[in-house]
């Protein structure tokens, strides 16, 4: 009897240890979460004024975005955590940067910790407004196919598409608020395929997946 009891206790301890180990491992990160140490630098060297945008690093995470160009006379700087409301761990390979001359620069990226998509439209003109989005649907995510040069985001009930070079826009509605968790977006938006002329998405609505599609006219 004592032997049986001992075996049972050992089995329970082993099961608990295994459960603890599995829960601590958690889901795999979206991209490399090795400690960031170096400033991320993006420049447009083929432009005569060489516009650039840098992302500084502190305590292994992205700290500030800094941008300017030759002759602008000043570096503009903003804290990313305050701007986007999250601690960001970035990987340069999972970022896209688009310079529109010295008018603005777009940063598209996903947080390596959970895969959440973001984008920033940053004007070089001090009078321009910065447009941050913490609900971006970026083609950086392998389940999201987004044509090059497009920025896409959701506001819970719609997909908004903008052509980065021209500012032309279009949208597709889901028909209702899908209440997504942006830190786990694939629970509600499984996949998308977005081009300048067509939007398609597989969305969890009520209790099943539904495909939504719309022809787009960017204007």
């Amino acid at each position: 009897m004592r032997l049986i009891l001992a075996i049972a206790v050992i089995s329970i301890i082993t099961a608990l240890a295994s459960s603890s180990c599995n829960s601590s491992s958690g889901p795999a990160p979206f991209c490399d979460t090795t400690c960031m140490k170096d400033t991320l630098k993006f420049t447009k060297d083929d432009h005569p004024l060489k516009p650039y945008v840098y992302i500084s690093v502190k305590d292994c995470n992205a700290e500030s975005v800094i941008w300017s160009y030759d002759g602008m006379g000043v570096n503009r700087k903003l804290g990313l955590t305050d701007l986007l409301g999250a601690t960001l761990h970035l990987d340069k390979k999972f970022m896209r940067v688009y310079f529109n001359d010295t008018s603005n620069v777009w940063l598209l990226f996903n947080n390596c910790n959970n895969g959440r998509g973001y984008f920033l439209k940053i004007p070089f003109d001090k009078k321009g407004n910065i447009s941050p989005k913490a609900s971006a649907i970026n083609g950086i995510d392998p389940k999201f196919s987004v044509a090059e040069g497009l920025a896409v985001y959701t506001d819970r009930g719609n997909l908004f598409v903008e052509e980065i070079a021209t500012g032309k826009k279009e949208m597709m509605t889901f028909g209702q608020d899908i209440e997504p968790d942006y830190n786990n977006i694939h629970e509600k938006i499984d996949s998308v395929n977005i081009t300048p002329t067509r939007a398609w998405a597989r969305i969890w609505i009520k209790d099943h997946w539904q495909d939504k599609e719309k022809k787009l006219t960017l204007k």
Side-chain angles (χ1 to χ4, degrees), residues 108-127:
L108 281 63
F109 52 89
N110 287 57
N111 192 347
C112 287
N113 294 325
N114 55 22
R116 182 169 180 167
Y118 298 84
F119 71 68
L120 291 172
K121 179 184 178 183
I122 305 173
F124 286 98
D125 185 346
K126 296 178 183 179
K127 297 179 182 178

Side-chain angles (χ1 to χ4, degrees), residues 71-200:
M72 185 172 167
V74 65
N75 281 333
R76 301 186 64 191
K77 181 177 179 180
L78 276 176
L80 279 172
T81 300
D82 293 336
L83 187 62
L84 295 172
T87 298
L88 300 170
H89 193 105
L90 304 181
D91 183 334
K92 193 172 184 177
K93 296 190 294 293
F94 291 82
M95 301 181 67
R96 304 290 181 269
V97 178
Y98 300 89
F99 291 93
N100 283 331
D101 196 55
T102 53
S103 175
N104 56 59
V105 59
W106 289 69
L107 300 179
L108 281 63
F109 52 89
N110 287 57
N111 192 347
C112 287
N113 294 325
N114 55 22
R116 182 169 180 167
Y118 298 84
F119 71 68
L120 291 172
K121 179 184 178 183
I122 305 173
F124 286 98
D125 185 346
K126 296 178 183 179
K127 297 179 182 178
N129 294 322
I130 294 174
S131 300
K133 295 296 179 186
S135 56
I137 305 296
N138 293 328
I140 300 164
D141 187 315
K143 296 202 75 176
F144 293 154
S145 176
V146 179
E148 188 73 17
L150 297 180
V152 181
Y153 72 96
T154 178
D155 70 345
R156 303 167 63 93
N158 308 279
L159 278 182
F160 295 88
V161 182
E162 181 170 352
E163 190 172 49
I164 290 171
T166 66
K168 294 180 179 179
K169 302 176 183 179
E170 176 65 294
M171 65 168 286
M172 179 181 76
T173 184
F174 302 152
Q176 70 174 66
D177 185 343
I178 62 172
E179 300 181 353
D181 173 2
Y182 295 121
N183 291 322
N184 192 11
I185 193 66
H186 291 294
E187 283 188 340
K188 294 297 179 72
I189 303 178
D190 174 73
S191 50
V192 305
N193 192 310
I194 312 291
T195 73
T197 58
R198 172 181 174 268
W200 174 91

Side-chain angles (χ1 to χ4, degrees), residues 5-23:
L5 181 60
I7 292 172
V9 170
I10 292 171
S11 298
I12 292 171
I13 292 172
T14 302
L16 288 174
S18 176
S19 174
S20 174
C21 180
N22 290 337
S23 64

